[in-house]
Amino acid sequence: LPMSGIGEILKAVGDFGLFQKWLVLLTLFPCLGVAFHQFCQLFMVPHVPHHCDTSWIRAVGPNLTEEEQLNLTLPRDADGVYEQRSMYSPVDWDLVSIVAYGLNSTEKCSNGWVYPSAQPPSLLTEFDLVCDRKNLNDISQSIYMLGLFLGSMIFGPLSDRIGRRPVILISVFLQGLFGVGIAFVPHFYVYMAFRCVVGASVSGITMTILALATEWVGVSSRPKAVLISHCCFAIGQMFLAGLSYGIRNWRLLEIAGSAPIFAFFFYIRVLPESARWLVTKGRIEEARKVLQKAASINKRTIPPGLLEQPGVSFACFDSLAFCILKLKPETQTKSGSTLDLFRKKHLQKVTLIMSCAWFVNSLVYYGLSLNVTNFGLDIYLTQLAFGAVEIPARVGCIFMLQWFGRKKTQAVLLLLSGLVCLIITGIPEDQPVVTTVLAIIGKFTASASFSTSYVYSAELFPTVVRQTRVGLCPMAARVAGIIAPLIHLLGQYHRAIPMAIFGSAPVVGGLLCVLLPETRGTDLVDNTGGGR
């Protein structure tokens, strides 16, 4: 696209000068917090040995040892281990009768559970996320993902209405307030409600900050800025592994991961408002001042009269997703609508396949990421590896797109992600090293596939409906993020079911991508008139 309007002014300011570099650097800090909130709950629900609270027998046998109490009140499984989900029904007998005749009738735990006293406080021990309440763990992960979805729907339009900086300020305040507030919740349902708000605020922060940075960076350097933010998200995952290893108390961990966002208030005053947004709102004088300041920092000069050029519109969806700028020259191409995506046959195929690709990509990504506690190895080392592997995946994706093209890269990466998960279903439980290595490979391919989707889908759709696409595909990915934790619940019927679903879905998506056209080396299509 030719440079015109505000884009021509920003070219004079400098595509990626000192001003933009400092701006990108300032926006990286919140990306670290995104990874924390995304995956911190994995370390707050460790597996802890437990059994039913049978202290009722203390009324008739106050001098019983702990082992004697458990032996009289808890049934044993086939391996001779005390049952965790049931106990012998309490009776009104004296201790002599209980010892002589024993107890036979069993029931579910009715008075709570007992955990090792040396165990640091966790969500599991404080809110009894065991037995019938175990499913609340995965449900709460879905609630957080729902918050991310709602945040993208709320804060995106809000930032277009009132500006980037006010939305960043509101989102930072909400994330800090409710993030720290989570550490003091008295009930798990309150915890889930607070997590939903945190998810919405995380979406607002990252989406708006990424929008702000992208609107200031030139077209040629924009992929670099987005790649840096993705790598920072990966570093945040690695940082989470170390932080959670050092802080085992879940409330202190929540404070340690949430409170630092308040430091953002100290430098939010130096964050500029988007010049593009100011121009589209007719606030030319404010735009002129901030552009002149940027030019001054970059040691550039804006030619007189450039600020009177036409503006641009901006759309950004998803918390770490693709942002697109649509230039507004004086003569505009006729805009498209959502219906065009389904009315035109060639667009209908592209829309359905790419939405499916985003959906299955998100499904396998979160299916693996939220399952680190079940691969069998140390969860802290696994999380560290999961974060580290994303960096070469994101960077390597750039070269794969250049060497192999968009279609082959997208299809092969999705197929590999799915095949790895399907192979995991056949690995015995006593082979945790093999399972974890395969999971890390799957995380690599899923991460690289995600980066491919941003580029490929933007090139597949015509300019007049590209912004509509930018909203539709990440929305499919967000829905998959909500569903992924719920699929883990199926593991109670058979441990292979979740991985079978996470594996088969991307295989189907990868095969469908074969039907898409190649876009490497082709010009972007501007209208919906014809297919590729």
Side-chain angles (χ1 to χ4, degrees):
L1 290 172
M3 296 297 295
S4 64
I6 188 67
E8 195 170 326
I9 300 172
L10 286 174
K11 185 177 181 181
V13 170
D15 282 351
F16 201 60
L18 183 61
F19 176 83
Q20 285 89 346
K21 290 175 182 176
W22 271 109
L23 179 61
V24 171
L25 182 63
L26 291 174
T27 58
L28 291 181
F29 175 68
C31 291
L32 296 173
V34 175
F36 173 83
H37 290 293
Q38 209 92 328
F39 304 117
C40 66
Q41 187 173 310
L42 298 173
F43 303 91
M44 297 178 179
V45 191
H47 175 72
V48 178
H50 56 275
H51 57 78
C52 299
D53 183 354
T54 58
S55 57
W56 62 269
I57 200 173
R58 290 289 179 179
V60 295
N63 296 322
L64 288 172
T65 64
E66 181 178 1
E67 182 61 29
E68 289 173 334
Q69 175 185 335
L70 299 181
N71 192 49
L72 290 172
T73 57
L74 293 178
R76 295 175 184 266
D77 59 20
D79 297 325
V81 180
Y82 292 121
E83 290 279 0
Q84 295 183 334
R85 303 172 62 94
S86 62
M87 66 180 191
Y88 288 123
S89 301
V91 294
D92 294 328
W93 299 353
D94 57 36
L95 183 59
V96 175
S97 299
I98 294 176
V99 173
Y101 300 104
L103 303 176
N104 295 314
S105 177
T106 61
E107 63 180 43
K108 292 183 178 180
C109 302
S110 56
N111 298 315
W113 293 263
V114 176
Y115 309 95
S117 58
Q119 179 70 27
S122 67
L123 285 174
L124 184 145
T125 58
E126 289 203 17
F127 300 117
D128 293 329
L129 302 184
V130 295
C131 299
D132 293 340
R133 292 173 56 84
K134 185 178 181 180
N135 293 345
L136 289 177
N137 179 33
D138 289 314
I139 292 174
S140 67
Q141 291 281 27
S142 287
I143 295 296
Y144 172 79
M145 294 294 182
L146 176 63
L148 289 176
F149 178 83
L150 295 176
S152 64
M153 303 296 290
I154 295 170
F155 290 112
L158 188 62
S159 68
D160 288 335
R161 179 179 294 272
I162 67 175
R164 314 311 189 208
R165 291 181 77 252
V167 169
I168 292 173
L169 186 62
I170 293 171
S171 300
V172 165
F173 176 76
L174 288 176
Q175 181 181 320
L177 179 65
F178 283 87
V180 174
I182 286 175
F184 302 95
V185 294
H187 198 282
F188 193 71
Y189 291 108
V190 179
Y191 168 86
M192 289 195 291
F194 276 37
R195 282 275 289 170
C196 186
V197 176
V198 169
S201 64
V202 163
S203 188
I205 290 173
T206 53
M207 176 177 60
T208 313
I209 281 180
L210 188 60
L212 181 63
T214 307
E215 288 177 332
W216 273 107
V217 175
V219 175
S220 60
S221 299
R222 201 167 295 145
K224 186 191 306 180
V226 175
L227 176 63
I228 291 173
S229 69
H230 283 180
C231 289
C232 192
F233 177 70
I235 293 172
Q237 294 184 55
M238 299 166 65
F239 180 75
L240 169 63
L243 187 66
S244 57
Y245 179 81
I247 305 176
R248 302 299 178 93
N249 185 313
W250 81 271
R251 295 184 185 272
L252 296 179
L253 177 61
E254 187 68 43
I255 293 174
S258 301
I261 193 65
F262 285 117
F264 197 76
F265 280 105
F266 291 103
Y267 67 85
I268 194 172
R269 294 177 62 182
V270 303
L271 282 179
E273 181 56 270
S274 167
R276 294 180 183 271
W277 181 83
L278 290 172
V279 169
T280 60
K281 294 299 180 180
R283 295 160 63 172
I284 303 300
E285 187 59 35
E286 294 178 58
R288 181 181 291 110
K289 290 180 179 179
V290 74
L291 285 167
Q292 289 172 343
K293 179 181 179 181
S296 175
I297 294 175
N298 287 345
K299 297 181 179 181
R300 303 284 290 269
T301 302
I302 303 177
L306 267 185
L307 290 176
E308 304 304 321
Q309 296 292 330
V312 301
S313 62
F314 180 84
C316 181
F317 300 83
D318 197 60
S319 60
L320 282 173
F322 180 83
C323 297
I324 185 167
L325 296 166
K326 181 182 177 184
L327 299 177
K328 290 172 54 182
E330 293 180 3
T331 303
Q332 298 188 28
T333 306
K334 182 180 178 181
S335 62
S337 66
T338 304
L339 291 178
D340 286 332
L341 295 175
F342 299 98
R343 187 183 298 124
K344 305 297 176 73
K345 188 174 181 180
H346 64 286
L347 283 181
Q348 185 181 74
K349 181 181 74 172
V350 170
T351 301
L352 292 175
I353 293 177
M354 283 311 301
S355 295
C356 176
W358 279 73
F359 179 88
V360 299
N361 206 156
S362 179
L363 195 70
V364 68
Y365 179 88
Y366 286 112
L368 290 169
S369 299
L370 299 177
N371 201 38
V372 294
T373 58
N374 297 322
F375 292 133
L377 289 187
D378 182 81
I379 61 173
Y380 304 101
L381 291 177
T382 305
Q383 178 62 42
L384 182 67
F386 266 35
V389 77
E390 283 204 25
I391 297 177
R394 304 287 188 180
V395 176
C397 171
I398 298 176
F399 300 101
M400 287 187 282
L401 289 173
Q402 294 174 347
W403 295 338
F404 306 112
R406 278 58 164 161
K407 181 170 74 171
K408 289 181 180 178
T409 301
Q410 183 77 85
V412 170
L413 288 174
L414 281 176
L415 284 170
L416 287 176
S417 299
L419 290 175
V420 165
C421 292
L422 291 176
I423 293 173
I424 289 176
T425 61
I427 304 298
E429 289 187 78
D430 60 354
Q431 299 290 330
V433 175
V434 177
T435 302
T436 304
V437 170
L438 288 171
I440 292 173
I441 295 173
K443 184 72 180 293
F444 177 92
T445 54
S447 301
S449 179
F450 245 140
S451 295
T452 302
S453 298
Y454 296 141
V455 177
Y456 195 20
S457 55
E459 294 177 345
L460 279 170
F461 290 87
T463 301
V464 294
V465 293
R466 191 171 294 126
Q467 294 187 76
T468 302
R469 188 286 314 163
V470 169
L472 185 63
C473 291
M475 189 179 298
R478 279 289 174 230
V479 173
I482 296 171
I483 295 174
L486 301 179
I487 293 178
H488 282 297
L489 297 177
L490 299 176
Q492 59 188 304
Y493 301 106
H494 194 286
R495 72 177 189 88
I497 294 178
M499 276 299 160
I501 296 175
F502 295 139
S504 56
V507 167
V508 173
L511 293 175
L512 288 175
C513 286
V514 176
L515 303 177
L516 294 173
E518 177 57 66
T519 60
R520 180 180 59 172
T522 62
D523 294 329
L524 295 178
V525 178
D526 288 327
N527 55 62
T528 62
R532 284 186 180 274

Coordinates of all heavy atoms in Angstrom, one line a residue, residues 36-42 44 140-141 143-145 147-148 178 182 190-201 254:
F36 N 1.9 -14.7 33.2 CA 1.6 -15.1 34.6 C 0.1 -15.4 34.8 O -0.2 -16.5 35.3 CB 2.0 -14.0 35.6 CG 1.6 -14.2 37.0 CD1 2.4 -15.0 37.8 CD2 0.5 -13.8 37.6 CE1 2.1 -15.3 39.1 CE2 0.1 -14.0 38.9 CZ 0.9 -14.8 39.6
H37 N -0.7 -14.5 34.5 CA -2.2 -14.7 34.7 C -2.7 -15.9 33.8 O -3.7 -16.5 34.2 CB -2.9 -13.4 34.4 CG -2.7 -12.4 35.5 ND1 -3.1 -12.5 36.8 CD2 -2.0 -11.2 35.4 CE1 -2.8 -11.4 37.4 NE2 -2.1 -10.6 36.7
Q38 N -2.1 -16.1 32.7 CA -2.6 -17.1 31.8 C -2.4 -18.5 32.4 O -3.2 -19.4 32.2 CB -1.8 -17.0 30.4 CG -2.6 -17.5 29.2 CD -3.4 -16.4 28.6 OE1 -3.8 -15.4 29.2 NE2 -3.5 -16.5 27.3
F39 N -1.3 -18.7 33.0 CA -0.9 -20.1 33.5 C -0.6 -20.2 34.9 O -0.2 -21.3 35.4 CB 0.3 -20.5 32.7 CG 0.1 -20.5 31.2 CD1 0.9 -19.6 30.4 CD2 -0.8 -21.2 30.5 CE1 0.8 -19.6 29.0 CE2 -1.0 -21.2 29.2 CZ -0.2 -20.3 28.4
C40 N -0.8 -19.2 35.7 CA -0.4 -19.2 37.2 C -1.2 -20.3 37.9 O -0.7 -20.9 38.9 CB -0.5 -17.9 37.8 SG -2.2 -17.2 37.9
Q41 N -2.4 -20.5 37.6 CA -3.3 -21.4 38.3 C -2.8 -22.8 38.3 O -3.0 -23.6 39.2 CB -4.7 -21.4 37.8 CG -5.7 -22.2 38.7 CD -7.1 -22.0 38.2 OE1 -7.6 -20.9 38.1 NE2 -7.8 -23.1 38.0
L42 N -2.0 -23.2 37.2 CA -1.4 -24.5 37.1 C -0.6 -24.8 38.3 O -0.5 -26.0 38.8 CB -0.6 -24.6 35.9 CG -1.3 -24.4 34.5 CD1 -0.3 -24.4 33.4 CD2 -2.3 -25.5 34.3
M44 N -1.0 -23.4 41.3 CA -1.7 -23.2 42.6 C -2.6 -24.4 43.0 O -3.2 -24.4 44.0 CB -2.6 -22.0 42.4 CG -1.8 -20.7 42.2 SD -2.9 -19.3 42.0 CE -1.7 -17.9 41.8
S140 N -12.7 -23.1 36.2 CA -12.2 -21.7 36.5 C -11.2 -21.2 35.4 O -11.2 -20.1 35.1 CB -11.5 -21.7 37.9 OG -10.4 -22.5 37.9
Q141 N -10.5 -22.2 34.8 CA -9.6 -21.8 33.7 C -10.5 -21.3 32.5 O -10.1 -20.4 31.8 CB -8.8 -23.0 33.3 CG -7.7 -23.4 34.3 CD -6.5 -22.5 34.2 OE1 -6.5 -21.4 33.8 NE2 -5.3 -23.1 34.6
I143 N -13.4 -19.9 32.8 CA -14.0 -18.6 33.2 C -12.9 -17.5 32.9 O -13.3 -16.4 32.4 CB -14.3 -18.6 34.7 CG1 -15.5 -19.6 34.9 CG2 -14.7 -17.2 35.1 CD1 -16.8 -19.3 34.3
Y144 N -11.7 -17.8 33.2 CA -10.6 -16.8 32.9 C -10.6 -16.6 31.3 O -10.5 -15.4 30.9 CB -9.3 -17.3 33.4 CG -8.1 -16.4 32.9 CD1 -7.8 -15.3 33.6 CD2 -7.3 -16.8 31.8 CE1 -6.8 -14.5 33.2 CE2 -6.3 -16.0 31.4 CZ -6.0 -14.8 32.1 OH -5.0 -14.0 31.7
M145 N -10.6 -17.6 30.5 CA -10.6 -17.5 29.1 C -11.8 -16.7 28.6 O -11.7 -15.9 27.6 CB -10.5 -18.9 28.4 CG -9.2 -19.6 28.7 SD -7.8 -18.8 27.9 CE -6.5 -19.9 28.4
G147 N -13.2 -14.4 30.3 CA -12.8 -13.0 30.6 C -12.0 -12.4 29.5 O -12.2 -11.2 29.1
L148 N -11.0 -13.1 28.9 CA -10.2 -12.7 27.8 C -11.1 -12.3 26.6 O -10.9 -11.3 26.0 CB -9.2 -13.7 27.4 CG -8.0 -13.9 28.4 CD1 -7.2 -15.1 27.8 CD2 -7.1 -12.7 28.5
F178 N -7.9 -6.3 41.0 CA -8.6 -7.6 41.1 C -7.5 -8.7 41.2 O -7.8 -9.8 41.8 CB -9.5 -7.9 40.0 CG -10.8 -7.2 40.1 CD1 -11.0 -5.8 39.6 CD2 -11.9 -7.8 40.7 CE1 -12.2 -5.2 39.8 CE2 -13.1 -7.1 40.8 CZ -13.2 -5.8 40.4
I182 N -7.5 -11.2 44.4 CA -7.7 -12.6 44.4 C -7.0 -13.3 45.5 O -7.5 -14.3 46.1 CB -7.1 -13.2 43.0 CG1 -8.0 -12.9 41.9 CG2 -6.8 -14.7 43.1 CD1 -7.5 -13.3 40.5
V190 N -15.9 -16.6 44.3 CA -15.4 -15.3 44.3 C -14.1 -15.2 43.5 O -13.8 -14.3 42.7 CB -15.2 -14.7 45.7 CG1 -14.7 -13.2 45.6 CG2 -16.6 -14.7 46.4
Y191 N -13.3 -16.2 43.7 CA -12.0 -16.4 43.0 C -12.2 -16.4 41.5 O -11.6 -15.7 40.7 CB -11.3 -17.6 43.5 CG -10.1 -18.0 42.6 CD1 -8.8 -17.5 42.8 CD2 -10.2 -18.9 41.6 CE1 -7.7 -17.8 42.0 CE2 -9.2 -19.3 40.8 CZ -7.9 -18.8 41.0 OH -6.9 -19.1 40.2
M192 N -13.2 -17.2 41.1 CA -13.5 -17.3 39.6 C -14.0 -16.0 39.1 O -13.6 -15.6 37.9 CB -14.5 -18.4 39.4 CG -13.9 -19.8 39.6 SD -15.0 -21.2 38.9 CE -16.4 -21.1 40.0
A193 N -14.8 -15.3 39.8 CA -15.4 -14.0 39.4 C -14.2 -13.0 39.2 O -14.1 -12.3 38.2 CB -16.4 -13.5 40.3
F194 N -13.3 -13.0 40.2 CA -12.2 -12.0 40.1 C -11.3 -12.4 38.9 O -10.7 -11.6 38.2 CB -11.4 -12.1 41.4 CG -11.9 -11.2 42.4 CD1 -13.3 -11.0 42.6 CD2 -11.1 -10.5 43.3 CE1 -13.8 -10.1 43.6 CE2 -11.6 -9.6 44.3 CZ -13.0 -9.5 44.4
R195 N -11.1 -13.7 38.7 CA -10.2 -14.2 37.6 C -10.8 -13.7 36.2 O -10.1 -13.4 35.3 CB -10.1 -15.7 37.6 CG -9.1 -16.2 38.6 CD -7.7 -16.2 38.1 NE -7.5 -17.2 37.1 CZ -6.4 -17.3 36.3 NH1 -5.4 -16.4 36.5 NH2 -6.2 -18.3 35.4
C196 N -12.1 -13.8 36.1 CA -12.8 -13.3 34.9 C -12.5 -11.8 34.6 O -12.2 -11.5 33.5 CB -14.3 -13.6 35.0 SG -15.2 -13.2 33.5
V197 N -12.6 -11.0 35.7 CA -12.3 -9.6 35.5 C -10.8 -9.4 35.2 O -10.5 -8.6 34.3 CB -12.6 -8.8 36.8 CG1 -12.2 -7.4 36.7 CG2 -14.1 -8.9 37.2
V198 N -9.9 -10.2 35.8 CA -8.5 -10.1 35.5 C -8.3 -10.5 34.0 O -7.5 -9.8 33.3 CB -7.7 -11.0 36.4 CG1 -6.2 -11.1 35.9 CG2 -7.6 -10.4 37.8
G199 N -8.9 -11.5 33.5 CA -8.8 -11.9 32.2 C -9.2 -10.8 31.2 O -8.6 -10.5 30.2
A200 N -10.4 -10.1 31.5 CA -10.8 -9.0 30.7 C -9.8 -7.9 30.7 O -9.5 -7.3 29.6 CB -12.2 -8.5 31.2
S201 N -9.2 -7.6 31.9 CA -8.3 -6.5 31.9 C -7.0 -6.8 31.2 O -6.3 -6.0 30.6 CB -8.0 -6.1 33.4 OG -7.4 -7.2 34.1
E254 N 0.2 -15.0 44.0 CA -0.8 -14.1 43.3 C -0.4 -12.7 43.5 O -0.4 -11.9 42.5 CB -2.2 -14.4 43.8 CG -3.3 -13.7 43.0 CD -3.4 -14.2 41.6 OE1 -3.4 -15.4 41.4 OE2 -3.5 -13.3 40.7

